[in-house]
Amino acid sequence: MKTSVDLHTYLQEQRERVEDALRNVFPEDWPIPDRLREAMDYSLLAGGKRLRPILALASAEAVSGREETSAKALSFACAVEMIHTYSLIHDDLPAMDNDDYRRGRPTNHKVFGDAMAILAGDGLLTHAFHVASRASEAGVPAERVLAVVRELSRYAGLPGMVGGQVSDMLGEQGITSLEQLEHIHLHKTSDLISFSLRSGGHAAEADDRQLEALGRFGRNVGLAFQIQDDILDLTGSADKLGKPVKSDERQQKVTYPYLLGLEESRRRVSELTRDAADALLQAGLAKPDRLLEIADYLLNRDH
């Protein structure tokens, strides 16, 4: 499926909406040290696709069938982007991936120093829960806000993204099985995507069956996205992808094509994509088409 002009317009509008909201997540009257605020803004407002927050907004629309429902999910959308940004700041540190550039400019620690970068990440992580709690001001029932805060601590925390990052770090000593590789990507990548979708569902007061379907959709799309990324690293064009190719091969990283081969990896992407679509279409969502379009766009990037 080719991405429609309508989807591109939607993604751009939602990206701008998220950007506007992120500019106002830190209360002006709070006594935040100027340097800390500057360091947090440096990474939080650095641009990017804003995939996770857009999925939260689109999920709320999918459940209710009404565009205006997405306003209730905006606090959750900002919270997940803050969590994602903190993880990137910490990933780039010398003790982790030791990267000098992120999105075409120096990484946070290169500009502000290691200590301030760590604290900027800490600040974003902590403040994300404050921002999520404010969804009640947009009309989200208190019990739904509590459910989202609990899920955020899980999906972003010990059994989720943080645990996945640890598994990835330990896996550098040698990944020997598909199960190990899948565990890493389910928690490093899929968990925050699943949370984004479920948070939008909570904002629209989805039932248990719909929430389970949204989580399954996120799990499968996140994993398919990672496998496709591994495939494109071998077969894609640097001009189209906007990054160097064959870097996994040069670094001798264990990837899905390394373990499965290209054809089996492609088959796995198709299988996960079908299962993701089936989950949505069987869940009784009012308007699932937009989420399906976004998934198709994400999984067909080399065009």
Side-chain angles (χ1 to χ4, degrees), residues 34-61:
D34 291 342
R35 190 64 170 167
L36 175 60
R37 189 188 290 266
E38 185 183 354
M40 291 188 294
D41 280 343
Y42 179 83
S43 294
L44 186 61
L45 303 180
K49 295 183 176 67
R50 306 301 190 189
L51 160 66
R52 293 155 190 82
I54 290 173
L55 285 173
L57 301 177
S59 177
E61 291 181 27

Side-chain angles (χ1 to χ4, degrees), residues 86-147:
Y86 115 78
S87 74
L88 298 180
I89 294 173
H90 283 189
D91 281 354
D92 291 336
L93 288 165
M96 299 288 283
D97 293 341
N98 195 25
D99 285 323
D100 292 344
Y101 290 92
R102 169 75 64 178
R103 291 172 180 158
R105 62 180 189 166
T107 46
N108 198 289
H109 69 276
K110 283 293 178 181
V111 177
F112 299 95
D114 292 3
M116 187 59 71
I118 291 168
L119 291 168
D122 292 346
L124 289 167
L125 168 61
T126 308
H127 195 57
F129 290 90
H130 172 84
V131 171
S133 74
R134 298 192 65 179
S136 58
E137 297 170 16
V140 181
E143 64 273 16
R144 293 283 187 163
V145 176
L146 178 59

